[in-house]
């Protein structure tokens, strides 16, 4: 019996045989990919957490991170080469992946994320962002010593307050989209006034960057694909500006019709909202007809913006990043199976009809005569 107890206690007394001190590991929270100055090579920048109290060079003493940059012909080779500069790299906690625009103009996105998808340690939930500036520059922008990767990661939480942010694109979603129709949009990140900012987006088609969007385009695209979670609609009535804040989506319905090979897509969405600001000095929000007029003006503004982004998608980018192909695939499977290889052409010639129904259910305590 005594021999049995000794046998059972050995694992407990010996501790974790393969454990390593955290100071001896390099925990990667962000990765940036740029084109290298070396011909036919790409440049990898890894942002690594620095444990509290762990000293770096004198000019980096207050930073909570360090960046390691290496160039190689493949990303995996670059990761291995980074071990010449730092401790064992762990990507289990990687939160973001930044890809520079120039990379996606020359190299298919499928190739860029290939190593990350194959790596069991890299989370498929890590977010992908596009950058106009070199990612190395973005990852160096430490605002008040904060870790740039964490700042960028946290900014996406504001999508419930503004509709100028695209829904987050994860590594797994990007991989799936590249395997389906290969068309989607990526949120971009930049530096403005010395601070990191989410600004603009890129349009991916067939694994390449085919166009760029501004914040206005992002707002319109969010309305088109039904991903608005909040934000403001600015419109004008009685010659004065007013704002309607989006509350929540009530419904979204998409139907598709075929007349031969001519596709018609009907999109109808409904949202509740509140009148959040009104510069008209004779406003009377307690009057139903007044609110109805504000609803109609806001609806017209949204519809006009959406029609502009539809035109851009169909005639400028010639690709359907709104994911509308899924409705054609489900509602007309035979047509989709026959024509899925030329979806971009069909989308570009489709008749897309968009209707939005806003219901103002709140206008605060300011309401004119009462």
């Amino acid at each position: 019996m005594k021999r049995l107890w000794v046998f059972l206690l050995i694992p407990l007394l010996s501790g974790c045989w393969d454990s390593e001190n955290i100071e001896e590991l390099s925990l990667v929270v962000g990765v940036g990919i740029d084109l290298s100055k070396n011909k036919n090579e790409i440049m990898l920048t890894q942002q690594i957490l620095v444990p509290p109290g762990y000293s770096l060079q004198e000019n980096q003493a207050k930073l909570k991170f360090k960046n390691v940059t290496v160039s190689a012909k493949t990303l995996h080779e670059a990761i291995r080469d980074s071990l010449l500069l730092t401790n064992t790299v762990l990507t289990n906690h990687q939160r973001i992946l930044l890809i520079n625009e120039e990379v996606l103009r020359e190299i298919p996105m499928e190739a860029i994320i290939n190593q990350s998808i194959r790596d069991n340690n890299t989370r498929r939930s890590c977010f992908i962002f596009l950058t106009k500036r070199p990612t190395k520059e973005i990852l160096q922008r430490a605002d008040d010593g904060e870790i740039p990767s964490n700042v960028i990661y946290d900014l996406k939480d504001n999508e419930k307050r503004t509709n100028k942010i695209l829904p987050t694109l994860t590594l797994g979603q990007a991989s799936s989209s590249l395997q389906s129709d290969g068309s989607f949009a990526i949120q971009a990140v930049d530096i403005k006034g010395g601070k990191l900012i989410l600004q603009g987006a890129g349009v991916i088609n067939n694994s390449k960057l085919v166009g760029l969007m501004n914040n206005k385009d992002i707002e319109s695209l969010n309305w088109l694909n039904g991903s608005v979670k909040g934000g403001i609609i600015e419109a004008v009535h009685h010659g004065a500006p007013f704002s309607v804040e989006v509350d929540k989506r009530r419904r979204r319905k998409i139907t598709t019709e075929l007349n031969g090979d001519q596709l018609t897509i009907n999109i109808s969405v409904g949202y509740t909202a509140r009148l959040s600001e009104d510069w008209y000095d004779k406003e009377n929000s307690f009057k139903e007809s007044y609110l109805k007029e504000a609803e109609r003006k806001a609806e017209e503004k949204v519809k006009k913006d959406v029609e502009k982004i539809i035109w851009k998608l169909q005639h400028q980018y010639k690709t359907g990043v709104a994911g509308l192909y899924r409705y054609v695939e489900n509602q007309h499977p035979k047509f989709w199976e026959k024509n899925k290889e030329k979806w971009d052409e069909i989308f570009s010639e489709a008749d897309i009809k968009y209707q939005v129904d806003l219901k103002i259910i709140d206008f605060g305590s300011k309401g004119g005569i009462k």
Side-chain angles (χ1 to χ4, degrees), residues 24-43:
E24 297 172 356
L25 300 175
S26 292
L27 299 180
V28 175
V29 289
V31 167
I33 301 173
D34 299 292
L35 289 179
S36 173
K37 292 180 180 178
N38 300 329
K39 189 177 180 182
N40 297 327
E41 287 190 0
I42 49 180
M43 186 165 65

Side-chain angles (χ1 to χ4, degrees), residues 38 136-137 154 200 279 366:
N38 300 329
K136 185 179 177 182
E137 183 179 345
D154 290 339
W279 288 24
K366 176 71 169 66

Side-chain angles (χ1 to χ4, degrees), residues 22-23 25-29 47-57 60-67 86 147:
I22 192 170
E23 292 85 355
L25 300 175
S26 292
L27 299 180
V28 175
V29 289
Q47 185 147 87
I48 297 170
L49 294 182
V50 174
Y54 189 77
S55 62
L56 287 171
Q57 297 176 6
Q60 292 183 311
K62 295 182 180 179
L63 293 183
K64 301 173 183 176
F65 66 90
K66 65 176 180 179
N67 293 338
T86 188
I147 301 167

